[in-house]
């Protein structure tokens, strides 16, 4: 007889990042029982702005919990780790002084990286994070983006990602910004981009470090 999955016994009392009901459900499953988010599922979730249902694979979520705890012990916070190991040294420490106050106007103000801890997606989907040292305005009451910031981000995503993917590029790119309550790294501005069926050389071009990111 099969026993309960290991995760069922290890639901954390205090998670090292905002924990959702979807996360708790995932920790009761095995990878074999988990159903990956596919393209249609992501379109529906993002279209309805129902971001709290986004999940990682059970094994990835357990590893992410451990990694987050260990990283906080080693660096003091995930923010410190990102600033020291992943984001441009030219940014310094918050509060940042961006080259432009206009979102994604200056390449030195944003960094495109593959997500080290992506959601549990089907293999044809790639999860990218775009980090910004320019503030992305949000509504203080809802924690969601303002209409103006949503338009600015949408324009950037189309120009930077979708237009590079040919005539059907708009049908291969989705994006979202987690509400403030769902963010695991709140002090560093970022958006999430999901790309469908993208080739490695295009990903490499998007995520390469630029001269303006180096000291």
């Amino acid at each position: 007889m099969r026993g309960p999955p290991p995760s069922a016994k290890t639901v954390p009392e205090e998670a090292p990042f905002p924990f959702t009901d979807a996360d708790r459900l995932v920790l009761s499953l095995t990878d074999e029982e988990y159903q990956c988010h596919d393209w249609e599922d992501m379109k529906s979730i993002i279209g309805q702005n129902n971001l709290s249902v986004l999940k990682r694979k059970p094994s990835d979520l357990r590893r992410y919990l451990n990694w987050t705890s260990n990283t906080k012990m080693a660096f003091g916070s995930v923010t410190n780790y990102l600033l020291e190991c992943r984001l441009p040294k030219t940014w310094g420490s918050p509060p940042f002084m961006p080259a432009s106050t206009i979102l994604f106007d200056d390449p030195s103000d944003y960094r495109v990286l593959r997500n080290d801890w992506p959601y549990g997606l089907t293999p044809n989907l790639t999860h990218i994070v775009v980090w910004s040292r320019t503030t992305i305005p949000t509504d203080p009451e809802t924690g969601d983006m303002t209409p103006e910031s949503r338009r600015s981000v949408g324009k950037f995503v189309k120009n930077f990602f979708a237009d590079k993917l040919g005539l059907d590029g708009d049908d291969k790119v989705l994006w979202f910004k987690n509400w403030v309550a769902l963010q695991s790294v709140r002090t560093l501005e970022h958006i999430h981009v999901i790309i469908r069926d993208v080739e490695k050389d295009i990903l490499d071009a998007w995520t390469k470090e630029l001269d303006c990111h180096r000291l």
Side-chain angles (χ1 to χ4, degrees):
M1 180 182 298
R2 192 187 70 170
S7 54
K9 305 174 182 178
T10 57
V11 177
E13 294 183 3
E14 293 188 16
F17 56 84
F19 218 60
T20 68
D21 290 340
D23 291 324
R24 293 184 176 86
L25 172 62
V26 166
L27 286 182
S28 71
L29 302 175
T30 64
D31 280 0
E32 291 73 23
E33 294 168 330
Y34 173 79
Q35 184 173 350
C36 292
H37 297 295
D38 62 17
W39 183 250
E40 292 302 319
D41 191 26
M42 291 301 297
K43 283 175 62 177
S44 175
I45 290 170
I46 295 171
Q48 298 175 35
N49 204 25
N50 189 21
L51 306 177
S52 64
V53 304
L54 288 170
K55 304 178 290 295
R56 292 178 173 86
K57 285 175 55 178
S59 59
D60 286 343
L61 179 56
R62 294 182 203 109
R63 290 190 299 112
Y64 185 44
L65 284 165
N66 290 332
W67 177 87
T68 303
S69 295
N70 293 336
T71 298
K72 286 184 174 182
M73 287 191 290
F75 290 88
S77 68
V78 172
T79 295
N80 290 342
Y81 163 78
L82 290 167
L83 290 170
E84 185 170 335
C85 302
R86 299 291 279 148
L87 297 179
K89 295 293 191 292
T90 53
W91 288 11
S93 300
F96 298 125
M97 297 185 63
S100 175
T101 57
I102 301 174
L103 269 176
F104 305 116
D105 179 59
D106 191 304
S108 68
D109 287 334
Y110 59 87
R111 182 74 170 96
V112 181
L113 295 170
R114 294 187 69 162
N115 193 343
D116 294 330
W117 297 101
Y119 292 111
L121 310 174
T122 52
N124 66 319
L125 304 184
T126 301
H127 188 172
I128 287 173
V129 180
V130 184
W131 300 91
S132 172
R133 66 171 170 176
T134 304
T135 300
I136 303 176
T138 57
D139 185 316
E141 293 186 3
T142 65
D144 200 4
M145 301 175 69
T146 65
E148 181 179 0
S149 65
R150 189 173 293 279
R151 285 192 296 270
S152 296
V153 173
K155 180 180 178 181
F156 165 75
V157 170
K158 176 174 173 54
N159 292 340
F160 190 94
F161 296 103
D163 287 353
K164 306 295 193 302
L165 297 174
L167 295 177
D168 60 346
D170 288 337
D171 295 324
K172 293 185 175 181
V173 181
L174 299 169
W175 71 270
F176 63 93
K177 183 181 187 295
N178 272 326
W179 318 321
V180 172
L182 296 176
Q183 294 173 5
S184 57
V185 184
R186 297 186 181 183
T187 54
L188 299 175
E189 296 280 16
H190 59 286
I191 63 169
H192 298 263
V193 182
I194 308 297
I195 313 288
R196 177 167 61 98
D197 299 326
V198 62
E199 297 178 2
K200 182 180 182 301
D201 59 337
I202 297 178
L203 279 174
D204 290 343
W206 284 338
T207 57
K208 70 180 180 181
E209 184 180 39
L210 305 178
D211 289 342
C212 59
H213 296 147
R214 304 185 183 98
L215 287 174

